[in-house]
Amino acid sequence: GDQVIAGADAKNRIDGADTSMNDSLVRSPKIELAKDIIYINGRERDPVSVVADLMGYLKEHASKSNYLADANLNKAVVSIPVAMDGSTRRKLRSALLQTDIHVVQFVHEPLAALYGYFKEQTDFQHTLNTYQGQLALVFDWGGGTLDLTLCRVINESLTQVRNHGDNTVGGNFLDEAILTEVIKRHAKQENVPIGTRVQPGAKAQLLNACEKAKIDLSIKEKVIVYVPEYYLGDDFDNDIECTLNREDLIQICDHYIKRGLGCIDRLLDEANIDQRQISLCLATGGMINMPIIRARLEQIFSIDRLEISSKGDRIISEGCAWIA
């Protein structure tokens, strides 16, 4: 209806009894800014207004913090993917203005992550001096995008040398690939007719279950994906139940993993730099929790040059806070 539910509250409702509301769910709304119109439950919506809803939620949530009770939350340093063009930036700025937040500065997400990483070191000044004149690569693989930034420390400042981004290999695409495979396996096992109707909102439930499976397989060898009453048909088992192991996940996501890791070579080729010249590779974002991605990053950079951020889910925002 007209109610807006954002953040964890929205995600927690996906598995609720009223699955029909899942057709109104928007994942990674920032990515939708590249479109002029999106459809939510069959209705046209301006993606700018959807992002504004999320920004308003964030502002209200922050204002309830004891630390920020009297703070003026009308200005912000805002992180963006490296591939975000000028038109999309204007839309993002417009969405923030709808909630009375003025953008002081846009910062590329990998650069914010690197700054946040340096600032959390015991001696920030010493860390900068250690990397003086050296190259650092930030590999930020999140749910929406994959962003890479090559930086050099010059005169105690972080200077961007080259950027590379891929908006087609984010974790959300892997979730969709897992979903497609789960449906395919179930259809083959239960002889589900092509075109069988799905319960309203059930796909969002299955997508959520596939995302959980991807996350769980970072620490488990095997998981079960289960969504009750996925289909409306009666001539077969309409509950989806599928067992996936870690090797299954690697095979399903192989195309995306190869494409994502290949971005490192493309960036370095464009910059005419050998990977052995990289003194630090900072890996951030939820996707680096996948063991196969961690292992391959270790193969490329070796353990002594690879830093897996322990704050992968928030180091970018902390970097923005330091910049602010």
Side-chain angles (χ1 to χ4, degrees):
D2 296 324
Q3 185 182 11
V4 175
I5 304 168
D9 291 340
K11 199 160 191 176
N12 291 339
R13 290 181 179 235
I14 293 175
D15 296 325
D18 185 7
T19 59
S20 62
M21 73 170 63
N22 289 338
D23 290 329
S24 301
L25 184 72
V26 181
R27 302 176 88 208
S28 299
K30 182 172 61 177
I31 299 300
E32 303 293 344
L33 285 173
K35 305 174 184 176
D36 293 325
I37 294 173
I38 59 176
Y39 292 90
I40 302 177
N41 219 354
R43 294 188 297 175
E44 288 187 1
R45 283 290 302 271
D46 179 0
V48 173
S49 70
V50 177
V51 173
D53 286 338
L54 180 58
M55 295 300 104
Y57 162 80
L58 289 173
K59 185 176 180 180
E60 180 183 2
H61 187 273
S63 67
K64 293 177 181 178
S65 165
N66 293 332
Y67 297 101
L68 300 171
D70 299 319
N72 184 342
L73 303 178
N74 293 338
K75 296 180 181 179
V77 170
V78 180
S79 66
I80 56 172
V82 297
M84 181 176 278
D85 60 20
S87 172
T88 312
R89 290 189 197 191
R90 287 192 291 274
K91 289 181 179 180
L92 181 56
R93 189 186 296 273
S94 175
L96 284 151
L97 282 173
Q98 288 186 26
T99 59
D100 195 28
I101 298 175
H102 298 261
V103 178
V104 176
Q105 182 180 346
F106 283 123
V107 181
H108 284 145
E109 289 171 353
L111 182 64
L114 185 60
Y115 193 69
Y117 169 75
F118 279 158
K119 289 293 286 187
E120 72 181 5
Q121 303 307 306
T122 305
D123 189 334
F124 173 64
Q125 199 64 45
H126 176 72
T127 303
L128 279 181
N129 292 336
T130 300
Y131 285 101
Q132 172 63 27
Q134 298 186 42
L135 290 167
L137 174 68
V138 184
F139 185 83
D140 175 38
W141 201 343
T145 60
L146 168 61
D147 291 323
L148 294 85
T149 288
L150 186 64
C151 295
R152 191 185 295 275
V153 180
I154 301 176
N155 297 328
E156 300 181 355
S157 296
L158 299 180
T159 303
Q160 294 185 80
V161 176
R162 197 104 187 177
N163 296 312
H164 187 84
D166 192 331
N167 293 343
T168 65
V169 295
N172 292 346
F173 290 94
L174 274 70
D175 299 341
E176 291 279 359
I178 298 168
L179 178 143
T180 299
E181 179 65 19
V182 167
I183 290 176
K184 178 182 174 182
R185 291 187 181 190
H186 179 264
K188 183 177 180 179
Q189 180 178 326
E190 299 295 333
N191 295 317
V192 179
I194 296 174
T196 301
R197 293 174 62 199
V198 175
Q199 289 277 8
K203 183 180 178 182
Q205 275 194 342
L206 181 56
L207 195 59
N208 194 44
C210 290
E211 181 187 16
K212 289 179 179 177
K214 178 188 69 179
I215 295 170
D216 288 345
L217 283 170
S218 294
I219 56 175
K220 299 178 180 179
E221 289 297 329
K222 183 168 63 176
V223 297
I224 296 175
V225 177
Y226 176 72
V227 174
E229 299 181 1
Y230 183 80
Y231 289 107
L232 291 170
D234 296 323
D235 300 330
F236 51 87
D237 185 358
N238 56 17
D239 295 349
I240 281 192
E241 183 172 348
C242 180
T243 300
L244 295 175
N245 58 42
R246 192 173 289 178
E247 190 60 36
D248 291 330
L249 180 65
I250 294 173
Q251 291 178 5
I252 294 168
C253 302
D254 183 63
H255 163 75
Y256 295 99
I257 293 171
K258 287 180 178 177
R259 182 181 173 97
L261 292 169
C263 288
I264 297 173
D265 290 333
R266 286 191 285 275
L267 173 66
L268 296 181
D269 286 345
E270 291 169 2
N272 195 27
I273 288 174
D274 189 287
Q275 65 88 5
R276 288 171 292 186
Q277 296 175 257
I278 306 296
S279 299
L280 168 70
C281 175
L282 175 65
T284 70
M287 288 298 298
I288 62 168
N289 291 318
M290 288 183 65
I292 183 64
I293 293 176
R294 286 192 175 214
R296 292 187 181 176
L297 285 173
E298 288 178 1
Q299 289 174 359
I300 298 170
F301 294 104
S302 69
I303 296 176
D304 59 313
R305 291 186 293 154
L306 178 64
E307 182 69 35
I308 304 289
S309 173
S310 61
K311 297 181 176 180
D313 59 342
R314 65 185 189 279
I315 192 170
I316 291 173
S317 54
E318 288 190 6
C320 285
W322 280 112
I323 293 168

